[in-house]
Amino acid sequence: MAALEKMFDVRGKSVVVTGGASGIGRAYAEIMAEHGARVCIFDIDPDGLSRVAAEMTAKGWDVWGQVVDVGDRPAMAAAFDAVAERHGRIDTVFANAGIDPGPGFNTPTGERNPDGAIENTPDEQWDRGIALNLTSVYTTVKNAVRHMKPKGGGEIIVTSSIASLINESIVGTSYMPAKAAVNHFVRHMAMELGAYGIRVNAILPGPFITNIAGGRLRNKADRAAFESQSLIGRIGDVEDIKGLALLLASPAGAFFTGSLIVIDGGSLTRMT
Ligand SMILES: NC(=O)c1ccc[n+]([C@@H]2O[C@H](COP(=O)([O-])OP(=O)(O)OC[C@H]3O[C@@H](n4cnc5c(N)ncnc54)[C@H](O)[C@@H]3O)[C@@H](O)[C@H]2O)c1
């Protein structure tokens, strides 16, 4: 095998991607499956999941899906067990599903949005943001480790956000503290799990065009402010995340653990 191929070899790996029916998670599933991994996508959207899984299997890739809500702990445990049963093991887990609990206190064009003001935020909205951006990552990691420890190792890659490091006024308030806590959790898990051969890292994307927040970044006017923050004149396309995902999941990434890796076209550099 060529040296380059060996470095990025993920063939035969058993992979789970949460929130893999769309956007960044879909890109993770694609890059792993295209390179010979066996991928199970967990997603709450049954139609999106069956469409995406069918598109990938039509390419000859080993991909299947389970309809799971990452906020449902018993369902998550059962879904992980089903992957281990079918693949014989679990090697790599992308804890990716997340939501914008929205709205933020500003509109994308900079006016105040009373619906996003702290005093008007429904408690359920706060709770949902924490449940699906933070507690869900805990649940995912817990189940991943349950299967990785007995086999002697694995890789966990968590999708955080640059909103863990800076504040975004158009995003629902609980998103920022949830993602900041995710970063801390990732580093804590890396400390706990390194001795068991389990590497834990976070990817911190800047703005990427996906379906999050109703796909608002597909709208040119809504993404203009984000484009102007980029140092390379554009925001992210999900294709941009594939190389980093493959790096962290392959032998080439063997020395990464506890890392919080920003991928944002330089937006954070301009802002801080
Ligand atoms: N798009 C961005 O600009 C951006 C920037 C930084 C971080 N992120 C993060 O990237 C991750 C993926 O978001 P995306 O932008 O690809 O969004 P997306 O909406 O395109 O994809 C998210 C996927 O997660 C699924 N999902 C939502 N709630 C779920 C639940 N309870 N259980 C299981 N699946 C669920 C959705 O059905 C969807 O398929 C999130 O953690 C998000 O916070 C996105």
Side-chain angles (χ1 to χ4, degrees):
M1 196 191 304
L4 185 66
E5 218 175 293
K6 209 167 161 187
M7 207 171 215
F8 293 98
D9 189 14
V10 293
R11 286 174 306 171
K13 272 183 186 279
S14 166
V15 177
V16 170
V17 182
T18 71
S22 171
I24 290 170
R26 179 182 175 153
Y28 293 154
E30 282 178 355
I31 191 69
M32 296 301 290
E34 185 175 0
H35 288 84
R38 296 169 293 159
V39 178
C40 183
I41 298 174
F42 294 2
D43 206 286
I44 202 170
D45 169 13
D47 297 339
L49 183 56
S50 54
R51 193 181 57 249
V52 162
E55 281 171 22
M56 293 192 203
T57 46
K59 292 181 174 168
W61 302 346
D62 189 340
V63 177
W64 58 296
Q66 296 191 68
V67 179
V68 196
D69 178 348
V70 291
D72 181 339
R73 288 168 170 154
M76 285 287 279
F80 270 91
D81 290 350
V83 177
E85 177 78 32
R86 178 149 158 176
H87 291 170
R89 59 179 204 267
I90 298 177
D91 300 305
T92 308
V93 170
F94 290 88
N96 167 75
I99 56 150
D100 174 359
F105 67 78
N106 275 341
T107 67
T109 45
E111 294 88 36
R112 288 280 172 161
N113 181 0
D115 290 342
I118 187 70
E119 69 277 23
N120 298 332
T121 300
D123 291 343
E124 300 70 34
Q125 186 176 299
W126 170 274
D127 292 346
R128 187 164 175 265
I130 299 296
L132 299 183
N133 290 314
L134 173 59
T135 309
S136 58
V137 173
Y138 154 78
T139 304
T140 305
V141 170
K142 182 175 185 172
N143 283 291
V145 170
R146 198 162 56 76
H147 289 284
M148 288 174 176
K149 246 191 196 179
K151 73 164 195 72
E155 307 89 32
I156 298 171
I157 297 140
V158 179
T159 312
S160 179
S161 169
I162 61 167
S164 62
L165 305 176
I166 45 121
N167 288 306
E168 295 277 11
S169 63
I170 67 166
V171 180
T173 302
S174 63
Y175 188 81
M176 275 60 64
K179 292 292 191 182
V182 160
N183 291 359
H184 221 54
F185 177 66
V186 161
R187 288 162 58 88
H188 192 73
M189 286 299 100
M191 278 183 65
E192 179 179 338
L193 300 169
Y196 302 97
I198 301 172
R199 298 187 293 106
V200 190
N201 292 292
I203 293 179
L204 278 58
F208 272 68
I209 298 179
T210 68
N211 291 324
I212 202 164
R216 76 172 152 221
L217 292 182
R218 296 186 194 284
N219 177 332
K220 204 163 170 33
D222 283 357
R223 69 171 183 259
F226 293 104
E227 278 169 348
S228 69
Q229 283 159 358
S230 165
L231 297 181
I232 55 173
R234 66 176 180 85
I235 64 169
D237 180 277
V238 293
E239 290 295 314
D240 293 321
I241 211 125
K242 289 184 171 178
L244 178 55
L246 185 62
L247 169 69
L248 291 175
S250 66
F255 201 53
F256 283 92
T257 199
S259 296
L260 310 176
I261 305 170
V262 169
I263 176 166
D264 70 341
S267 305
L268 195 64
T269 300
R270 187 193 291 281
M271 287 187 272
T272 53

